[in-house]
Amino acid sequence: MYIEDTIAAISTPHGEGGIGIVRISGGNAEAIGRRLFRFRKGGDFTSHYLHYGAVTEPESGGMIDEAMAVLMRAPNSYTREDVLELHCHGGMLVVERVLAAVLACGARLAEPGEFTRRAFVNGRIDLLQAEAVMDVIAAKTEASLALAQRQREGALSLKIGEIRQALTRSLAFVEAYIDFPEDDIGQTDNDALRVAADDVLVSIGRLLSGFDEGRILREGISVLIVGKPNAGKSSLLNCLLRENRAIVTPIPGTTRDVIEESINLGGLAVRLLDTAGIRHTDDVVEREGISCALDKIPLADLVLFVLDTSRFFDDEDRLILDAVRGKRTIAVLNKCDLPMAIELPPEITTLPQAVISAGAALGVDGLRELIRTTFLHDVPLDSREFVAISRARHRDALVSARSHLQRFLSGLEEGRELETLAIDLRDALSAVGQVTGEISTDDVLDMIFSSFCIGK
Amino acid sequence: MHCYETIYDVIVVGAGHAGCEAALAAARIGCSTLLLTINLDAIALMSCNPAIGGLAKGHLVKEIDALGGEMAKNIDATGIQFRILNTRKGPAVRASRAQADKQLYRLRMKRIMEQQDNLFLKQGEVTGLYLEGNELRGVDTRSGIRFLGKTVVLTTGTFMRGLIHIGLTNYPGGRAGDLPSLGLSDQLRDLGFQVGRLKTGTPARLDGRTIDFSRLEAQYGDDPPVPFSFSTGRITMPQVPCHIAYTNQRSHDIIRSGLDRSPLYAGVIEGVGPRYCPSIEDKVVRFPDKERHQTFIEPEGLETVEVYPSGMSTSLPIDIQIPFYRSIEGLEHVEIMRPAYAIEYDYVDPIQLYASLETKPIPNLYHAGQINGTSGYEEAAAQGLMAGINAALRTKGLNPLVLGRSEAYIGVMIDDLITLGTKEPYRMFTSRAEYRLLLREDNADLRLREKGYSVGLVPEADFERFLRKRELIAAEYERICSSRIVMDSREHEFLSTHGLSDIQKGTTFEQLLRRPEVTYGELAEFDDVSRETVPEVREQVEIQVKYRGYIERQLEQVERARKLESTQLPADLNYSSIHGLTTEVREKLSRNRPETLGQASRIPGVTPAAISVLSIALKSDSWKRAGSETRLEEA
């Protein structure tokens, strides 16, 4: 729904950076700029011109930060609305104060991706581009950025194009038999139709199985570290974090007692779900007991089950083992540098395992690789061939195309009327078309006339 | 210019298949109607093949009939072979086709027109529209008579600047043996119409006495022949067969040897021809691997030896035509009575029409048939009927009759034409109809009878018969939905012999009929009432039950589209003032000026996002407010 209010958001990534940008889009952007921005040398906004000055509090007029401001008047902006950007110093506190001031002037906090949505609604970009841009925004690592860019460049469109071509061809055959019974074009070749539909099903299946990986590349995975007290969870966490210190960005989690830490494992964005305060006081967490961590298990894509191999497998370990049953889990056998006392139950030995010593920083690379390959098993991350669908909307469209095709195949089997089979093919085609947003009217006829010699 | 004293309500220009339906419809609605034609002896002449119907075309004919047109009745009275096509496929794609006695067909239509009250036939070549300013007042003719009319329907067929090609020889003509219409298309261009050029062709007419039919495979019609019209009781004309023959490699060599003198391949013809109706040289060139091409040798009538070899149209020179036709087995000694030829003609881009077929540049002017870039008698007749109805409704100050894509093939065709325009002659195919299962020949009356009646075209008696039929269908459907298996001995017997032992007591007959193993006719084995059901009711009930799942799916789709289809776009909408549309979309909408959001959504390049922007703009009326502050697009 297109609503002409004015929205604002911090458009640089959270965390410390050189600058922080607050972006404002909508009819009031310029007025808000006039109210908050003091030009160093006086003057007024010129579109697409970077002005130097300061951002001030709307009420008191006190300076928040010195800043640069640029106004991009409609339609020559990303959203095709008036867009104002305030470039401040990068501290989160400063940027958040600037945003608060903007909101105090009547702007509404933008929803995630709303700038791009406006760009799409205003015809600035098409649907696939819009979605790819949103993915770029959300991309946390190089691999997901590359995926998003390839999608924008049309790798997915190309694959979808191939599927559409195959479906159009099958439909053209069916339609030709329906519309040209007096032309000498032979009988319906059910085997050829079946083979073609099977091939398309395989292609769709491949795209769908790429969906999970696409999602993983786009959104990253969440990993929960569990283990009984003193198993070495915090050491492990610190180990993983220390290696990635440069890109750690703490983000407040959805619940008060969970903190997310994002790290990059060889191109895979990983959010380590951790109980509150674990970085500061191990004791607090230990006292809260294991149950708190166990509650988080359903939220995680992967559980790292930390076992202290220098101690016996006890009831607390058993409790955790029961809790992770059926969950994707890696058994992290910690303290391998100490004498081994543990006897692993069969349920553990069947899990993927990593033998490490968090304290001595041994085996952590192996664990990193294990986490990565658990999710990106067959996917060559650097290959240009890799095409993944990464959006639920695309997945739904392909799932729906698949079910129409399956109905087509069963209809073919039952010998159902051609015109109902044509409906299944047509529905499959239009479902696939929803991914790229194209609608074709004459494609089928084009295909008929180029494939058959028809005419009286 | 002598001005004739009468002012007609409707003037129809052209007496082909579009013109006849237009003139009859207008006159039957009660308008004083003038029909002008270049040749009064060529009314409803079948210039190409002597046949009516076929896939999608048969559907159009039934729709014309349901609305109160004449084509179905005319072919029923003069048809000499009737066949239902696709009988082994489902009911939605079955279609009627008939061979006509070409001379009887035109004579009967002329007689019907001559007997029609309010309708006056005159011979004359229309050289231009008569306008006062931009106001249409009538037409001028070559013989110096000006006829005044409130509305004009142009159905010019292939006549406007018609140019006939036989090899590299060409000469002006509207059809072999008739003069072209000159001047009119130039005037239309001057009035702001986009005039283009199309091409079509027709095969030679052959002397049946010189064909050895014993060596060809005969193809007979259905026995008994099934009529087109919902009003026709039975077919009384004698029925004759067609014959099937094939070209061979030698035929193709002959064709190839003449390609350098084909006006098409030599670049003499500039008009675009239909891909679905290619000349034999097109077929040979485009499908070089095909060993033979089939032709139906169709009789042109009962009283003539002339036959029509379908699919064998050509514009090659006569010295190629003769050996080519003689290369076909059974035709070794064939004599050509009329040579094959191609014809180029002017048409007007139908994108400049409203759904009523009224032109956008000139109010009260309507276009129908080949002038709109279509091909086929049935397509022409359907448009002629709609144009005639709407011209008549205009003179009465009533709203036009517009059929939706979910209501009729006629609606699909007109929407395609006015939304997409056409670059090649447009022919109807069932695959063009997205709601194909709903648009069947068998239910054309259920879809359209009421509309035909409400505009005054369907006679009272026909309408009452229709109402009775509709009631019977509803009653019988109701009956089988409420009748249940009680498991008496006959039912028990029926179920076990049909392998339906899983059917429980209490199952309705309707549920039973949904099973693929059971036909309506078989219900009679235990259900005495169903034995009495008349065939037309039985057919509808059975289709409703058997197709139910798919019909419901399509009805849901219709329902989903209804909002878009019913949202009108104001005629004065200023697209450049709507913030949020791309330049491309603005240009397309401004040029096309769609009448509804649904139509807009079918214009290629108009994105779903543009449609949502449009619908929001309509709601907020922002296009009115924004009128002054036109925003420019970035490059």
Side-chain angles (χ1 to χ4, degrees), chain A residues 75-76 80 121-123 175 177-179 182 184 407 416 419 422 424 427 446 449 452 454-456, chain B residues 83 86 89-90 97 275-276 278 283 286-287 294 311 429-431 436 547 550 553 580 613 632-634:
Chain A
N76 298 315
R80 295 210 163 164
V121 168
N122 292 340
E175 294 292 1
Y177 295 121
I178 291 173
D179 259 335
E182 295 197 283
D184 188 19
R407 180 156 42 182
R416 232 176 38 209
E419 65 276 19
D424 293 330
D427 288 350
D446 285 345
F449 298 132
F452 298 106
I454 272 161
K456 45 183 196 237
Chain B
R83 288 202 306 135
N86 274 346
K89 298 173 190 143
R97 186 184 186 285
R275 285 171 303 169
Y276 48 82
K283 294 182 185 182
R286 286 181 49 217
F287 296 91
Q294 177 182 264
F429 301 107
T430 69
S431 58
R436 178 162 59 193
Y547 262 77
Y550 280 91
R553 234 163 105 187
V613 168
L632 297 173
E633 287 301 309
E634 69 189 282

Side-chain angles (χ1 to χ4, degrees), chain A residues 181-229:
Chain A
E182 295 197 283
D183 285 270
D184 188 19
I185 55 174
Q187 285 301 302
T188 1
D189 186 348
N190 284 359
D191 287 337
L193 289 173
R194 188 176 304 115
V195 168
D198 281 336
D199 284 352
V200 171
L201 278 178
V202 169
S203 301
I204 290 178
R206 214 172 276 148
L207 280 176
L208 283 175
S209 70
F211 172 74
D212 286 335
E213 275 140 11
R215 183 184 68 85
I216 284 161
L217 283 178
R218 187 164 56 88
E219 294 174 1
I221 56 162
S222 55
V223 174
L224 181 70
I225 302 174
V226 294
K228 66 186 173 186

Side-chain angles (χ1 to χ4, degrees), chain A residues 28-46:
Chain A
N28 287 328
E30 186 167 352
I32 291 172
R34 289 238 174 76
R35 203 161 151 206
L36 294 181
F37 189 76
R38 296 282 162 269
F39 293 88
R40 173 81 183 272
K41 296 175 180 168
D44 201 352
F45 285 110
T46 305

Side-chain angles (χ1 to χ4, degrees), chain B residues 119-389:
Chain B
L119 178 55
F120 303 91
L121 311 182
K122 292 185 194 297
Q123 187 160 298
E125 179 197 344
V126 170
T127 52
L129 301 172
Y130 168 53
L131 295 124
E132 286 173 13
N134 204 36
E135 305 255 310
L136 182 64
R137 291 279 182 252
V139 297
D140 292 336
T141 61
R142 174 109 22 227
S143 40
I145 310 171
R146 169 169 292 166
F147 292 99
L148 302 180
K150 296 172 187 161
T151 61
V152 173
V153 181
L154 289 183
T155 70
T156 53
T158 58
F159 278 63
M160 285 198 300
R161 285 210 310 130
L163 186 64
I164 289 173
H165 296 265
I166 302 174
L168 298 179
T169 306
N170 57 63
Y171 60 93
R175 156 176 64 217
D178 275 310
L179 294 172
S181 154
L182 300 174
L184 185 55
S185 56
D186 293 331
Q187 186 198 22
L188 291 174
R189 193 181 285 109
D190 291 343
L191 288 171
F193 287 98
Q194 299 289 321
V195 178
R197 203 116 170 102
L198 292 176
K199 168 240 155 186
T200 188
T202 193
R205 302 306 188 275
L206 307 175
D207 185 338
R209 294 172 304 172
T210 58
I211 293 174
D212 183 356
F213 286 106
S214 70
R215 291 164 63 200
L216 306 182
E217 181 193 336
Q219 188 197 44
Y220 292 88
D222 295 339
D223 189 20
V226 179
F228 275 86
S229 172
F230 293 100
S231 309
T232 303
R234 64 187 190 93
I235 302 297
T236 53
M237 288 286 287
Q239 301 292 294
V240 298
C242 294
H243 291 83
I244 300 172
Y246 296 95
T247 62
N248 51 48
Q249 286 301 332
R250 198 161 61 81
S251 325
H252 303 170
D253 290 340
I254 295 168
I255 294 287
R256 286 189 199 99
S257 75
L259 284 180
D260 56 332
R261 287 181 295 141
S262 149
L264 206 58
Y265 289 91
V268 179
I269 289 181
E270 57 189 57
V272 181
R275 285 171 303 169
Y276 48 82
C277 203
S279 60
I280 183 65
E281 53 267 35
D282 269 347
K283 294 182 185 182
V284 169
V285 169
R286 286 181 49 217
F287 296 91
D289 298 336
K290 206 161 155 73
E291 287 170 14
R292 59 178 201 177
H293 295 276
Q294 177 182 264
T295 173
F296 287 90
I297 309 286
E298 304 177 13
E300 292 248 305
L302 297 175
E303 303 290 333
T304 177
V305 297
E306 277 188 87
V307 296
Y308 172 100
S310 78
M312 298 290 124
S313 83
T314 178
S315 56
L316 290 171
I318 193 71
D319 59 283
I320 298 291
Q321 289 190 22
I322 294 170
F324 163 67
Y325 288 115
R326 287 184 182 164
S327 72
I328 297 170
E329 185 184 344
L331 276 65
E332 288 83 355
H333 306 291
V334 78
E335 288 293 330
I336 291 179
M337 294 176 73
R338 310 179 199 223
Y341 63 94
I343 182 164
E344 282 186 283
Y345 55 98
D346 284 351
Y347 80 109
V348 178
D349 193 344
I351 219 155
Q352 291 172 289
L353 298 173
Y354 294 107
S356 62
L357 295 180
E358 185 181 17
T359 70
K360 289 175 177 174
I362 305 288
N364 299 322
L365 177 66
Y366 296 77
H367 287 176
Q370 279 167 303
I371 192 172
N372 288 336
T374 61
S375 135
Y377 310 145
E378 304 81 357
E379 286 85 347
Q383 292 169 67
L385 176 68
M386 298 311 292
I389 289 172

Side-chain angles (χ1 to χ4, degrees), chain A residues 215-254:
Chain A
R215 183 184 68 85
I216 284 161
L217 283 178
R218 187 164 56 88
E219 294 174 1
I221 56 162
S222 55
V223 174
L224 181 70
I225 302 174
V226 294
K228 66 186 173 186
N230 285 324
K233 302 187 295 292
S234 45
S235 309
L236 172 60
L237 179 70
N238 286 332
C239 250
L240 291 169
L241 290 182
R242 195 161 35 242
E243 293 182 18
N244 295 278
R245 186 43 90 194
I247 58 158
V248 166
T249 54
I251 300 166
T254 48

